[in-house]
Amino acid sequence: MDFVIGIDVGGTKILVGACDMNFNLLVSKKVPTNAHSDTKEQITQRMIACIRDVIDETEKTHSGYTLSAIGIGAPGPVDSAKGVVIDAGNLGNWHHVPIVSILSGEFGVPSFLEKDGNTAALGEFMLGAGRGTRNLAVVTVGTGLGCGLILNGQIYSGRFGFAGEFGHIVISEQKIPCVCGGYGCLEMFTCGRAMVRMMKEAIAAGKSSCLSGDFTAVDIQHAAESGDELALAVIREAGDYLGRGLVSLINLLGPDKVLIGGGVSNLGNVLLDTTKSVVHDRAYTFYRDTPIERTTLGTNSGLFGAAVLAKRSLESAEVCNG
C-alpha cells in the first residue's frame, strides 16, 4: 500500500500528515514555524524532522505502507514548476528556497509544490465543503490572508503561477506597510497580526480592555467571549474589511461558493456574521446570496490539499512518462 505526505507550511506552524490513497489521515504532527526567529535552514530542518517522524510512525503503525510522493503548500509567491518558494513574507527569511529538490533529495520520492491558498482550495474542492462546485474561492485567515481559486474545476494560477493574492488587494491609503512591500493591503486589516496591531493601537489611544502587554489573536477571541467591548469591536472591524474585500472578489469572479478557513476564522460568529452582512448589503444584486461558509476540513484543508496535490501530480507524471 502506498501513502503520500501532505505538508501545510504556515506562519505559526508546520502541519505534516500521512494519507492513504483514499485520503484517510493516518498520522499527523505539527511543529512551530518560528518564522521570525529562526533561519530558513533551521525551519527547513525542523520540517524535515517532522516529516521523518510522520513517515516512521506511519510505517510502524501501518505495516506494508510505502511513501510514494510529497505535496507541499507554502505561502506565495511560489514557482510550482521549478519547486521554489520565491518570497514567503509570512515565513520571515524564506526567499528562493528550492523546497522540492530539498525534500525529494532527502526522502527519495517525487515532491510537488503549490501556493498554500491553492492547496487549501484543492482540499476543500475535493474532500470538503467545496464538493459539487465548479467555481470556488477559499479564503484562509490566519497569520496572513490567503486565497485559492478553483475556476471551471481547475486551480487558477494565473500568469506567473501565484494568482489569488486576495490579501494584497489595496483597500486603504493608510501607510501601514505590508510584507509584500506595499501598503494599504487587505491583509493588514483582517489577519491575526492585523487584529493584534489594531487592538494595541486602540489601547494606546486610551480605549479600555482587559488585555495589555503582549497578546495574540486567540487572546482577543477569549477577551471578546468574556464580553470585552474593544475586542468585539476589533473583530467586527476586521470582519467588515474582509466583507468589503469579498464583495470585490465575488463581483469579479461570481463563485458558486466562498469558504472561510484558517485559525483566525475560528473567532466565533462575530467575524463571519459581520463579513456576511457586508457582502449581503454591498455585493452586486445577483451575487448577494452567494454562500459564505466555514471550511469543513478546518485547519487540515491545506494538509489534505497538499496530499491531493501529491497523488494527482504523481499520477500525471506517470501518465506523461508512460
Side-chain angles (χ1 to χ4, degrees), residues 124-240:
E124 290 293 332
F125 179 71
M126 293 292 294
L127 306 170
R131 285 179 294 182
T133 64
R134 291 288 295 168
N135 301 289
L136 177 70
V138 178
V139 175
T140 51
V141 191
T143 305
L145 182 67
C147 180
L149 300 173
I150 304 288
L151 301 181
N152 262 343
Q154 301 293 326
I155 289 175
Y156 179 71
S157 297
R159 181 181 175 194
F160 296 109
F162 48 86
E165 289 296 332
F166 177 59
H168 301 294
I169 62 173
V170 177
I171 61 161
S172 173
E173 286 304 305
Q174 293 187 51
K175 304 282 186 179
I176 299 172
C178 180
V179 293
C180 73
Y183 65 90
C185 294
L186 177 62
E187 180 171 303
M188 302 315 297
F189 298 89
T190 55
C191 70
R193 69 174 179 272
M195 292 187 203
V196 170
R197 188 202 77 245
M198 291 189 289
M199 191 81 181
K200 288 185 175 181
E201 288 174 350
I203 292 170
K207 298 287 182 67
S208 175
S209 172
C210 64
L211 296 176
S212 62
D214 289 329
F215 50 83
T216 66
V218 174
D219 295 322
I220 296 174
Q221 174 189 353
H222 293 158
E225 290 170 348
S226 69
D228 188 293
E229 289 298 329
L230 183 57
L232 285 166
V234 165
I235 293 173
R236 288 192 187 102
E237 184 176 2
D240 183 81

Side-chain angles (χ1 to χ4, degrees), residues 12-153:
T12 57
K13 70 178 185 303
I14 299 168
L15 182 60
V16 177
C19 294
D20 66 20
M21 301 313 257
N22 292 315
F23 305 113
N24 296 303
L25 185 61
L26 306 174
V27 175
S28 66
K29 181 178 179 179
K30 66 180 176 181
V31 293
T33 309
N34 295 341
H36 298 286
S37 61
D38 290 354
T39 65
K40 62 184 177 184
E41 290 79 14
Q42 289 173 316
I43 294 170
T44 303
Q45 287 306 310
R46 188 180 304 112
M47 178 193 298
I48 288 171
C50 186
I51 296 168
R52 194 169 300 285
D53 287 346
V54 169
I55 292 171
D56 290 346
E57 183 66 19
T58 302
E59 293 176 343
K60 182 169 67 175
T61 57
H62 296 79
S63 178
Y65 277 65
T66 303
L67 177 65
S68 62
I70 296 172
I72 312 120
V78 306
D79 186 329
S80 298
K82 294 181 179 178
V84 176
V85 178
I86 297 172
D87 187 14
N90 290 326
L91 296 184
N93 50 30
W94 260 43
H95 307 297
H96 297 281
V97 177
I99 191 64
V100 162
S101 63
I102 291 171
L103 296 186
S104 293
E106 187 73 28
F107 296 102
V109 298
S111 300
F112 306 95
L113 173 68
E114 261 291 356
K115 190 183 74 167
D116 55 355
N118 289 343
T119 52
L122 185 58
E124 290 293 332
F125 179 71
M126 293 292 294
L127 306 170
R131 285 179 294 182
T133 64
R134 291 288 295 168
N135 301 289
L136 177 70
V138 178
V139 175
T140 51
V141 191
T143 305
L145 182 67
C147 180
L149 300 173
I150 304 288
L151 301 181
N152 262 343

